[in-house]
mmCIF file of all heavy atoms in Angstrom:
data_model
loop_
_atom_site.group_PDB
_atom_site.id
_atom_site.type_symbol
_atom_site.label_atom_id
_atom_site.label_comp_id
_atom_site.label_asym_id
_atom_site.label_seq_id
_atom_site.Cartn_x
_atom_site.Cartn_y
_atom_site.Cartn_z
ATOM 1 N N TRP K 715 14.593 -36.669 -26.888
ATOM 2 C CA TRP K 715 15.154 -37.602 -25.921
ATOM 3 C C TRP K 715 16.333 -37.029 -25.149
ATOM 4 O O TRP K 715 16.903 -37.702 -24.298
ATOM 5 C CB TRP K 715 15.564 -38.897 -26.619
ATOM 6 C CG TRP K 715 14.410 -39.546 -27.308
ATOM 7 C CD1 TRP K 715 14.115 -39.507 -28.637
ATOM 8 C CD2 TRP K 715 13.360 -40.296 -26.694
ATOM 9 N NE1 TRP K 715 12.954 -40.186 -28.898
ATOM 10 C CE2 TRP K 715 12.461 -40.682 -27.720
ATOM 11 C CE3 TRP K 715 13.081 -40.681 -25.380
ATOM 12 C CZ2 TRP K 715 11.317 -41.437 -27.468
ATOM 13 C CZ3 TRP K 715 11.942 -41.431 -25.125
ATOM 14 C CH2 TRP K 715 11.074 -41.798 -26.157
ATOM 15 N N GLY K 716 16.698 -35.795 -25.410
ATOM 16 C CA GLY K 716 17.729 -35.123 -24.622
ATOM 17 C C GLY K 716 19.143 -35.578 -24.931
ATOM 18 O O GLY K 716 19.445 -36.017 -26.034
ATOM 19 N N GLU K 717 19.980 -35.507 -23.931
ATOM 20 C CA GLU K 717 21.405 -35.786 -24.089
ATOM 21 C C GLU K 717 21.665 -37.252 -24.436
ATOM 22 O O GLU K 717 20.999 -38.156 -23.922
ATOM 23 C CB GLU K 717 22.140 -35.436 -22.796
ATOM 24 C CG GLU K 717 23.640 -35.661 -22.847
ATOM 25 C CD GLU K 717 24.308 -35.364 -21.517
ATOM 26 O OE1 GLU K 717 23.592 -34.954 -20.583
ATOM 27 O OE2 GLU K 717 25.539 -35.546 -21.415
ATOM 28 N N VAL K 718 22.629 -37.479 -25.304
ATOM 29 C CA VAL K 718 23.046 -38.841 -25.656
ATOM 30 C C VAL K 718 23.762 -39.473 -24.468
ATOM 31 O O VAL K 718 24.721 -38.911 -23.938
ATOM 32 C CB VAL K 718 23.989 -38.818 -26.880
ATOM 33 C CG1 VAL K 718 24.562 -40.205 -27.139
ATOM 34 C CG2 VAL K 718 23.260 -38.310 -28.112
ATOM 35 N N THR K 719 23.287 -40.637 -24.029
ATOM 36 C CA THR K 719 23.928 -41.352 -22.924
ATOM 37 C C THR K 719 24.507 -42.697 -23.339
ATOM 38 O O THR K 719 25.150 -43.367 -22.541
ATOM 39 C CB THR K 719 22.930 -41.579 -21.766
ATOM 40 O OG1 THR K 719 21.825 -42.367 -22.250
ATOM 41 C CG2 THR K 719 22.418 -40.260 -21.217
ATOM 42 N N SER K 720 24.278 -43.115 -24.578
ATOM 43 C CA SER K 720 24.825 -44.384 -25.062
ATOM 44 C C SER K 720 26.334 -44.271 -25.211
ATOM 45 O O SER K 720 26.889 -43.168 -25.318
ATOM 46 C CB SER K 720 24.199 -44.764 -26.408
ATOM 47 O OG SER K 720 24.503 -43.776 -27.386
ATOM 48 N N THR K 721 27.016 -45.403 -25.223
ATOM 49 C CA THR K 721 28.467 -45.407 -25.390
ATOM 50 C C THR K 721 28.867 -45.312 -26.855
ATOM 51 O O THR K 721 30.060 -45.276 -27.167
ATOM 52 C CB THR K 721 29.081 -46.689 -24.786
ATOM 53 O OG1 THR K 721 28.551 -47.837 -25.449
ATOM 54 C CG2 THR K 721 28.786 -46.778 -23.306
ATOM 55 N N ILE K 722 27.873 -45.284 -27.746
ATOM 56 C CA ILE K 722 28.111 -45.197 -29.179
ATOM 57 C C ILE K 722 27.125 -44.200 -29.780
ATOM 58 O O ILE K 722 25.947 -44.187 -29.431
ATOM 59 C CB ILE K 722 27.930 -46.567 -29.869
ATOM 60 C CG1 ILE K 722 28.929 -47.565 -29.333
ATOM 61 C CG2 ILE K 722 28.076 -46.441 -31.378
ATOM 62 C CD1 ILE K 722 28.684 -48.974 -29.792
ATOM 63 N N ASP K 723 27.639 -43.365 -30.683
ATOM 64 C CA ASP K 723 26.787 -42.458 -31.449
ATOM 65 C C ASP K 723 27.188 -42.616 -32.901
ATOM 66 O O ASP K 723 28.348 -42.436 -33.259
ATOM 67 C CB ASP K 723 26.999 -41.019 -30.983
ATOM 68 C CG ASP K 723 25.991 -40.055 -31.581
ATOM 69 O OD1 ASP K 723 25.174 -40.508 -32.404
ATOM 70 O OD2 ASP K 723 26.029 -38.864 -31.233
ATOM 71 N N TRP K 724 26.251 -42.984 -33.745
ATOM 72 C CA TRP K 724 26.582 -43.395 -35.100
ATOM 73 C C TRP K 724 26.774 -42.206 -36.035
ATOM 74 O O TRP K 724 26.654 -41.052 -35.624
ATOM 75 C CB TRP K 724 25.499 -44.339 -35.621
ATOM 76 C CG TRP K 724 25.297 -45.502 -34.715
ATOM 77 C CD1 TRP K 724 24.308 -45.641 -33.777
ATOM 78 C CD2 TRP K 724 26.126 -46.659 -34.593
ATOM 79 N NE1 TRP K 724 24.466 -46.826 -33.101
ATOM 80 C CE2 TRP K 724 25.567 -47.468 -33.578
ATOM 81 C CE3 TRP K 724 27.273 -47.089 -35.259
ATOM 82 C CZ2 TRP K 724 26.121 -48.688 -33.208
ATOM 83 C CZ3 TRP K 724 27.825 -48.310 -34.894
ATOM 84 C CH2 TRP K 724 27.253 -49.099 -33.883
ATOM 85 N N CYS K 725 27.061 -42.499 -37.289
ATOM 86 C CA CYS K 725 27.484 -41.475 -38.248
ATOM 87 C C CYS K 725 26.330 -40.626 -38.770
ATOM 88 O O CYS K 725 26.559 -39.547 -39.307
ATOM 89 C CB CYS K 725 28.222 -42.147 -39.419
ATOM 90 S SG CYS K 725 29.172 -41.011 -40.440
ATOM 91 N N GLU K 726 25.115 -41.091 -38.622
ATOM 92 C CA GLU K 726 23.985 -40.266 -39.040
ATOM 93 C C GLU K 726 23.857 -39.064 -38.106
ATOM 94 O O GLU K 726 23.926 -39.203 -36.880
ATOM 95 C CB GLU K 726 22.684 -41.077 -39.033
ATOM 96 C CG GLU K 726 21.479 -40.262 -39.480
ATOM 97 C CD GLU K 726 20.179 -41.049 -39.482
ATOM 98 O OE1 GLU K 726 20.226 -42.277 -39.275
ATOM 99 O OE2 GLU K 726 19.122 -40.431 -39.698
#
Side-chain angles (χ1 to χ4, degrees):
W715 301 101
E717 181 183 358
V718 173
T719 60
S720 62
T721 61
I722 298 171
D723 189 357
W724 305 99
C725 195
E726 181 180 352

